[in-house]
Amino acid sequence: MGAGRGTMGLSLTAFLSVWLVMMAAMMFPSVAPMAIVWVRSVAARPTTRERVAGIASFLAGYLLAWAAFGVVVYAVLTAAGQLAEGVPDAARWVGAAIFAVAGVYQLTPLKGACLSHCRTPVGALFHYASYKGSGRDLRVGIHHGLYCMGCCWGLMIVLVAVGAMNVPAMVSLAGVIFIEKVWRYGPAFSRSVGVLLLLVAALAPFIPSLLPGLRAAPM
């Protein structure tokens, strides 16, 4: 599969379908600890219907949060694709800015706070115990999805520069996200990734091959 410049001509609905499948594949390893904790809590419910509904609602809420982010990504990819065609020289600076934003965010307290939440599923479970009402599972899924998004959005925007369907990049980012969330030294690793992204930002304007998602299509 190619790098996937822009939205590849997909409509918003088609793009969101692909986006959610891609997010599910990329995020599953890192979200699994929280999902397992929540599934175990749901398993204590008295009926099969309640258990199935609880798990389905949690997953729906999680995907809903990422779908909302997917709309933003679609808009950015559309603009990036138009820029690559219309002003190729400016596109390299946009690519550098994307890497720079991603790198800086890796070093911020907000990134650290979101990462801390995602690294402590049992602690999150205690927080979610205060949620009440019939929409509890959906709210938990959305809430955790937003924290997950807060943890990973900086890394995800790199796909705008390297290609939304760039499989090697997707695998690499999924690996980074997994290591951040489960490794003992995940927070330090996260900051190291930030420094690496800043280095790529400095090199990107002079090495076009670093930005396959922003290169104009060959004539």
Side-chain angles (χ1 to χ4, degrees):
M1 185 179 293
R5 185 179 57 81
T7 62
M8 300 163 294
L10 295 176
S11 67
L12 176 59
T13 301
F15 175 82
L16 287 179
S17 298
V18 175
W19 171 258
L20 289 178
V21 171
M22 185 173 72
M23 288 302 99
M26 290 180 66
M27 302 304 298
F28 177 76
S30 59
V31 80
M34 177 61 202
I36 291 171
V37 167
W38 191 252
V39 167
R40 285 176 177 171
S41 73
V42 171
R45 296 178 187 177
T47 68
T48 300
R49 180 178 179 181
E50 288 178 313
R51 293 192 289 271
V52 171
I55 295 170
S57 295
F58 171 80
L59 294 175
Y62 185 83
L63 292 176
L64 183 61
W66 278 105
F69 185 57
V71 174
V72 176
V73 171
Y74 183 84
V76 173
L77 284 169
T78 300
Q82 293 172 347
L83 182 65
E85 293 291 348
V87 193
D89 190 58
R92 59 178 177 158
W93 297 105
V94 171
I98 288 171
F99 277 106
V101 168
V104 169
Y105 184 70
Q106 290 289 108
L107 307 176
T108 63
L110 180 57
K111 164 73 179 193
C114 292
L115 182 58
S116 178
H117 173 91
C118 292
R119 285 173 58 85
T120 54
V122 175
L125 181 63
F126 283 121
H127 172 76
Y128 293 141
S130 64
Y131 284 27
K132 306 296 181 184
S134 58
R136 177 189 181 198
D137 300 297
L138 182 67
R139 289 173 58 207
V140 170
I142 292 173
H143 187 271
H144 187 65
L146 290 174
Y147 261 106
C148 196
M149 189 192 311
C151 183
C152 305
W153 74 265
L155 295 170
M156 290 303 177
I157 65 170
V158 170
L159 291 173
V160 175
V162 301
M165 300 300 162
N166 186 329
V167 174
M170 289 166 55
V171 172
S172 298
L173 289 174
V176 168
I177 292 167
F178 178 75
I179 293 171
E180 282 186 338
K181 291 185 178 180
V182 303
W183 190 31
R184 176 181 178 184
Y185 301 106
F189 174 77
S190 177
R191 292 189 291 271
S192 298
V193 170
V195 173
L196 177 61
L197 290 171
L198 290 174
L199 176 60
V200 175
L203 296 175
F206 313 104
I207 307 178
S209 60
L210 292 174
L211 306 171
L214 293 174
R215 285 187 293 181
M219 300 300 292

